[in-house]
Amino acid sequence: MTARTVIAAVRDGAPVVAEDLRAFARGLASGTVSDAQAGAFAMAVLLRGLGDAGRVALTQAMRDSGDVLAWDLPGPVLDKHSTGGIGDTVSLLLAPALAACGAYVPMISGRGLGHTGGTLDKLEALEGYRTDISEDALRAVVAETGCAIVGATGQIAPADRRLYAIRDVTATVESIDLITASILSKKLAAGLGGLVLDVKCGSGAFLTDPAAARDLAQALVRTANGAGCPTWALLTDMDESLASAAGNALEVAEVLRILRGDATSPRLRAATVSLGGALLALGGLADDPADGAARIDATLRDGRAAEVFARMVAALGGPRNVVATGLAGLPEAPVVREVPAPAAGVLTACDAKALGWAVVSLGGGRQVETDPVDPAVGLSDIAPLGTSVVRGEPIARVHAAREEAADRAVVEVQAAFTLGTSFDATPLVLGEVRP
């Protein structure tokens, strides 16, 4: 096998042998496959596709291009993945809630890019929290606390890291085959016994079309199960911010309030409970998703999830007793400005992506991977759709580093909302995909 023959086979729509894809993935990781060859492969996959068997083979090949973790723990190893949205802090609630129910959660997460926030950026708003740890440290923290939310080591799916960068500059990001292999190679390298995928659809999601979101969910579920990891997917609504805050420290503050019992955040809580219920059922820790959802909800109510979260944060270098004291230690923006409703009416629609870009323009996100992030800036007190307002009543608050940035963000947030006379709520969970 040569890289050229693999590229030609994909280009011509011919089946590709799994061993050839493994060799190609090893070449991506080692550098023996050139950037030109990687780009040609990505374009061939985008235009011709790999089919179900080829997608599974590529995912396994990229998974096996680096370290694959194996666990010896007294409970199932579970995780979830979200395709990205606004105000999505589910991971910070779900990982400790799952651990409180007897699961073990080595959650390998990423950073924000574009209009969506990143889990690692949010946690790094907590002073001292380390997301870059060794495999041995990851094992120790998971065994000790039940969960760890960290970044991927350089040894996890290195072929994906290389191909991801190539896709970004060759206009091949949209390939479902490549998206699927990229997401799953990293997750499956964590040695999971069960995975739930949160595939978002709506104005704040990467996929705004419900049919496209379902196609991706089906590809992910078929591929993960074909690679040996029991997996379900939930399709969830992202036509408004999932939480009432968007921005790193502001989202962490909302999580801490929920864990303390000081906030309800119904959409964020509903997503956490639904995804967690499915995972507990997959892992054999609940009779079915409804039973699992009730168990997850109980950990949020009785403080068990809060205890696990505090132990995880301390084990990863963050503040001790963070649930009790963490709000005081979070960075705060110097300028806070209310966003007044421009007229009276009902909030009937929201361009959630525009809210995400407003946070980016404040300095709270990245347009390119190397952009610095200000953890203090963002939006809070975002009014949910269906809220009746009078002219001048606040529909959000802007947290900014400078007055001129706050002025600009106020206008952007106002423009993101549509006012009308009535509102029909969309359910948070739009559907599910199982094998």
Side-chain angles (χ1 to χ4, degrees):
M1 190 287 308
T2 65
R4 182 182 180 281
T5 58
V6 170
I7 295 164
V10 177
R11 179 200 64 196
D12 297 339
V16 184
V17 177
E19 179 53 42
D20 289 348
L21 286 172
R22 282 193 291 271
F24 191 85
R26 289 194 296 269
L28 284 169
S30 68
T32 58
V33 170
S34 70
D35 285 355
Q37 289 170 325
F41 173 79
M43 186 60 71
V45 173
L46 173 73
L47 296 176
R48 297 304 299 262
L50 291 171
D52 284 354
R55 193 185 306 124
V56 170
L58 178 62
T59 299
Q60 291 174 315
M62 290 169 61
R63 175 198 66 191
D64 296 340
S65 67
D67 292 347
V68 179
L69 304 182
W71 301 91
D72 183 14
L73 295 166
V77 178
L78 307 176
D79 198 2
K80 77 93 185 168
H81 175 81
S82 167
T83 57
I86 311 303
D88 182 2
T89 49
V90 167
S91 293
L92 277 63
L93 294 170
L94 182 57
L98 289 166
C101 292
Y104 290 85
V105 188
M107 188 174 282
I108 295 175
S109 300
R111 300 192 179 278
L113 186 61
H115 71 279
T116 65
T119 297
L120 300 184
D121 299 316
K122 296 167 191 179
L123 284 166
E124 286 177 346
L126 295 167
E127 185 177 4
Y129 190 99
R130 291 177 293 115
T131 60
D132 183 11
I133 64 173
S134 68
E135 182 182 315
D136 287 343
L138 172 63
R139 291 183 180 280
V141 174
V142 170
E144 174 191 349
T145 69
C147 62
I149 307 176
V150 296
T153 71
Q155 289 72 46
I156 295 290
D160 173 66
R161 187 168 58 255
R162 175 94 186 286
L163 189 57
Y164 188 93
I166 295 292
R167 288 166 55 209
D168 190 44
V169 297
T170 56
T172 55
V173 171
E174 297 84 358
S175 165
I176 283 186
D177 288 338
L178 297 178
I179 292 170
T180 298
S182 178
I183 289 171
L184 293 179
S185 60
K186 296 188 289 289
K187 287 297 182 183
L188 301 187
L192 303 181
L195 174 65
V196 164
L197 300 154
D198 181 4
V199 180
K200 297 188 179 297
C201 174
S203 67
F206 284 108
L207 295 174
T208 59
D209 176 46
R214 181 168 287 277
D215 287 346
L216 175 59
Q218 290 172 337
L220 287 163
V221 168
R222 287 197 302 267
T223 303
N225 283 279
C229 181
T231 300
W232 296 347
L234 298 185
L235 297 164
T236 63
D237 174 66
M238 185 37 71
D239 270 332
E240 60 179 308
S241 178
L242 192 59
S244 65
N248 297 309
L250 295 166
E251 291 183 52
V252 172
E254 183 158 358
V255 165
L256 295 177
R257 292 190 186 99
I258 294 170
L259 292 172
R260 286 163 47 161
D262 297 338
T264 56
S265 297
R267 283 171 53 83
L268 178 57
R269 193 184 190 102
T272 303
V273 166
S274 297
L275 292 161
L279 266 173
L280 291 183
L282 264 179
L285 294 174
D287 295 334
D288 53 41
D291 176 43
R295 292 172 186 264
I296 293 291
D297 189 63
T299 72
L300 297 173
R301 293 182 184 278
D302 63 22
R304 284 179 291 153
E307 292 173 6
V308 174
F309 184 80
R311 291 201 304 271
M312 179 192 75
V313 169
L316 289 165
R320 297 190 176 276
N321 303 316
V322 68
V323 176
T325 63
L327 288 173
L330 288 169
E332 297 182 3
V335 180
V336 180
R337 187 82 56 76
E338 290 186 344
V339 180
V346 176
L347 298 179
T348 58
C350 175
D351 182 349
K353 186 176 291 186
L355 295 184
W357 283 119
V359 174
V360 173
S361 71
L362 287 165
R366 299 179 180 85
Q367 298 198 52
V368 296
E369 193 171 356
T370 55
D371 283 348
V373 170
D374 183 345
V377 302
L379 309 174
S380 70
D381 303 287
I382 303 168
L385 295 182
T387 301
S388 295
V389 297
V390 298
R391 181 182 175 87
E393 182 178 357
I395 56 175
R397 285 184 172 83
V398 169
H399 300 249
R402 300 175 305 279
E403 294 285 351
E404 60 271 22
D407 292 339
R408 183 174 62 249
V410 166
V411 174
E412 291 170 346
V413 174
Q414 284 179 324
F417 282 96
T418 300
L419 286 161
T421 57
S422 63
F423 173 69
D424 293 325
T426 300
L428 178 68
V429 178
L430 303 172
E432 65 176 38
V433 176
R434 300 193 191 184

